[in-house]
Each structure stands twice: as C-alpha cells, then as structure tokens.
C-alpha cells in the first residue's frame, strides 16, 4: 500500500473511494515484496501491481466487490494448477489483504501522505483491513526516500532526476548556474539548489544513505565537490567523464590531498556498461550502478547467477 501512496492520495483528493490489494506475506520466490499494492478506484481505473500481472485480473474483481460493499478479506495465490485459475508463475506464494483504503482513519491516511512525500511512514493493519496495534496481520513501513545528490544541471541530470524519482529517490539537484538550475527543468526533483556545490556541501553534510553523482564536466566544480564527497560516509560517489578525464581528475584529487583509499571509492567513468549514449540511456546506466551499490549486488546478468532473483 505504501508503494502506491502517491497514487492513492491523488485519488482521495479527487473524491474517489479506493480499494487496495496489499501483499502481507511472501513465501518462496515472488515478484513483489510485502507492502506492494494493486489499487482500484471508484472511477474504475487501476494502478500498481502485486504479481507482475499473474493475479491482477482476479484482484480487480475482489476489489470491486469491496467497493460494492463487501468485506475486507485475505486471499492467497500460489502456482495455478487448473486452466484459468489465477496463480503465480514463479513458484512462490503471496498472501494479499483486500481492503478499502479510503475507510482508514485520519491517522493512517496521514501516514500515507507522509509516504507520498518521500518521508518515513508506518501503518499496521489487521485481517479486516483496520488499523491496529495488537497482533497486526502486517506492519507496512517505508523509510524516507533514498537521498541522491546530482551535481550539475545538464541534460543528463534532467534524465537521471526523472528516472531516479520514479524509483523512489529524493533527488537534490545542485548547480551554481541560474539558467540551468530551475524547478521547471527538474519538476521531479525533491529540491533544486542554486549554489556552488562545495559551499552548499559545507553546510549540508552527507550521510551514509547518500548517493552522489557528479555530472559537471568542469574540474573547477567537480574536484572540490569530490574532495568533500569522498571524505564523507556517502554510500556511492560517482563522476561522469571519459577515461582520460578520469585520469586528469584523479591527478587533481591527489594533488588536493585525497588519500588512495578514498580515491578507490570513486566510481568513474560512471555507470554500468550498457552501451547506450543518449541522456536517458546514460541515466539508466548511472542509476543501475547506484541501485547495485545500495543493495551490494554484482550487476551481473541474472542468467549467469544462481539463487533468488529478487533481493530480500
């Protein structure tokens, strides 16, 4: 449910009733995690997913039943044995709570609005879809959105901000140039800051949750920025540029006193080797590496690995 918070809030603000089918338990391999939701509004439109399409058709009818006055209920899906029976293709089992979100009390709806804004939120529900504190069926939590600092407001930054925001990152775009650092260009950003990056960073220390992506192509900007970022506990620090640019940048960072251990943290040239060259393709390459680093994954093709497909 929390993963669909923004969509739910938009529907509620439009006066709709909303029913959600929320994953409350996962056993074995399954496409989505606990908390994932499929939403049906009273206008008949749907959003979200709990299985990648395997059981959503059945859930539409269940959600419509609740909209028509039926009770909240819990249902489970495993591998469908009979022709036409809804089921998962991945071999696991999911348990889903079908409940009316618009009937939740004000406190729970406030938590949904926090989640929609990228803030931490928590809702505990019982088997009837009611908020509870004693022995809940599921406690849905969402941490604050992952902070991503994008330094440089060029076209690659526009594409990266749009993609990252859609993946749950709270993106702050930082550039000293007023012509480029505008909210109109970065409508999906959490914040757009017009300031020299090193000056702004001096007043806003990075945390271990941060990812920093430097897209400036200007050593006068990116070297002091990287000096600060590499000295911080930021989880990911990457910089765009060719291999020759990287070599010159490393020399400048060494001259600025950055030790070898810190330099080893710098991901440059930035991104995974996907072969694309458009701003959107480069953004995908960069964000893929950021996500890989956040989960401690390898970036290898899944066809060459073993074990669960979806991270736990």
């Amino acid at each position: 449910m929390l993963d669909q918070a923004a969509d739910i809030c938009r529907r509620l603000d439009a006066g709709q009733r909303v029913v959600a089918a929320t994953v409350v338990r996962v056993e074995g391999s399954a496409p989505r995690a606990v908390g994932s939701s499929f939403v049906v509004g009273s206008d008949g439109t749907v959003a979200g997913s709990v299985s990648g399409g395997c059981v959503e058709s059945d859930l539409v009818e269940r959600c419509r039943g609740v909209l028509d006055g039926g009770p909240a209920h819990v249902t489970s899906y495993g591998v469908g044995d009979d022709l036409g029976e809804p089921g998962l293709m991945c071999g696991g089992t999911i348990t889903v709570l079908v409940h009316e979100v618009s009937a939740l009390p004000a406190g729970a709806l406030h938590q949904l609005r926090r989640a929609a804004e990228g803030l931490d939120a928590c809702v505990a529900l019982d088997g009837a879809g009611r908020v509870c504190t004693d022995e809940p069926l599921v406690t849905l939590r969402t941490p604050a959105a992952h902070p991503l600092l994008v330094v440089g407001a060029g076209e690659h930054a526009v594409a990266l901000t749009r993609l990252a925001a859609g993946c749950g990152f709270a993106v702050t775009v930082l550039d000293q140039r007023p012509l480029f650092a505008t909210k109109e260009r970065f409508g999906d950003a959490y914040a757009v800051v017009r300031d020299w990056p090193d000056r702004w960073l001096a007043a806003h220390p990075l945390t271990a949750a941060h990812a920093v992506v430097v897209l400036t192509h200007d050593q006068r900007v990116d070297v002091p920025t990287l000096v600060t970022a590499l000295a911080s506990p930021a989880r990911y620090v990457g910089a765009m540029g060719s291999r020759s640019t990287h070599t010159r940048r490393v020399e400048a960072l060494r001259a600025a006193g950055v030790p070898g251990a810190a330099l080893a943290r710098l991901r440059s040239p930035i991104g995974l080797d996907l072969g694309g060259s458009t701003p959107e393709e480069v953004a995908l390459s960069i964000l893929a590496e950021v996500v890989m680093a956040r989960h401690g994954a390898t970036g290898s093709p899944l066809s060459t690995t073993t074990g669960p497909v979806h991270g736990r």
Side-chain angles (χ1 to χ4, degrees):
M1 179 173 62
L2 295 183
D3 69 332
Q4 287 293 320
D7 180 83
I8 291 171
C9 290
R10 284 193 295 269
R11 292 171 184 270
L12 294 177
D13 290 341
Q16 290 189 43
R17 293 173 58 213
V18 182
V19 172
T22 304
V23 177
V24 297
R25 185 178 182 185
V26 173
E27 296 177 273
S29 179
R32 303 297 307 278
V34 169
S36 301
S37 289
F38 177 74
V39 173
V40 178
S42 54
D43 67 347
T45 60
V46 303
S49 172
V50 299
S51 72
C54 303
V55 302
E56 273 76 357
S57 293
D58 184 68
L59 285 173
V60 167
E61 298 307 316
R62 290 180 177 272
C63 290
R64 285 174 176 167
V66 174
L67 282 170
D68 290 339
H73 59 279
V74 175
T75 186
S76 294
Y77 298 96
V79 177
D81 295 324
D82 299 328
L83 184 64
E85 178 185 4
L88 304 181
M89 299 297 293
C90 51
T93 299
I94 60 173
T95 301
V96 180
L97 170 64
V98 183
H99 58 115
E100 183 173 351
V101 180
S102 44
L104 291 173
L109 295 179
H110 173 69
Q111 292 296 307
L112 281 177
R113 294 192 182 278
R114 286 182 59 86
E117 295 171 5
L119 304 174
D120 59 303
C122 178
V123 177
L125 301 174
D126 64 14
R130 296 171 301 209
V131 174
C132 66
T133 55
D134 298 328
E135 299 183 7
L137 173 65
V138 62
T139 300
L140 304 173
R141 304 179 188 275
T142 179
H146 310 293
L148 172 61
L149 179 63
V150 177
V151 180
E155 287 305 305
H156 290 95
V158 173
L160 177 59
T161 298
R162 184 182 303 117
L163 183 61
C167 291
F169 287 84
V171 184
T172 296
V173 179
L174 181 57
D175 197 306
Q176 74 279 5
R177 301 170 296 176
L179 181 63
F180 291 90
T182 68
K183 190 60 178 177
E184 290 73 24
R185 281 168 53 80
F186 294 94
D188 295 309
Y190 174 77
V192 179
V193 179
R194 298 173 187 171
D195 200 354
W196 287 92
D198 56 329
R199 182 168 63 186
W200 187 85
L201 284 169
H204 300 82
L206 299 170
T207 70
H210 274 88
V212 181
V213 173
V214 178
L215 307 176
T216 51
H217 298 287
D218 185 343
Q219 284 202 172
R220 297 171 301 172
V221 176
D222 62 20
V223 169
T225 300
L226 289 170
V227 167
T228 301
L230 291 172
S232 78
R235 183 193 310 269
Y236 176 98
V237 181
M240 177 177 279
S242 66
R243 298 190 189 280
S244 59
T245 297
H246 171 68
T247 299
R248 292 193 299 272
R249 182 185 290 133
V250 167
E251 292 173 353
L253 290 170
R254 284 200 181 101
V258 178
L263 283 173
R265 296 181 54 218
L266 177 60
R267 295 178 181 266
S268 177
I270 198 170
L272 300 184
D273 182 13
L274 302 184
S277 60
T278 67
E280 291 74 18
E281 290 171 330
V282 172
L284 176 61
S285 167
I286 294 170
L287 189 62
E289 187 176 49
V290 171
V291 172
M292 180 193 73
R294 176 158 61 87
H295 291 289
T298 65
S300 301
L302 289 171
S303 60
T304 67
T305 63
T306 59
V309 170
H310 300 284
R312 298 187 181 277

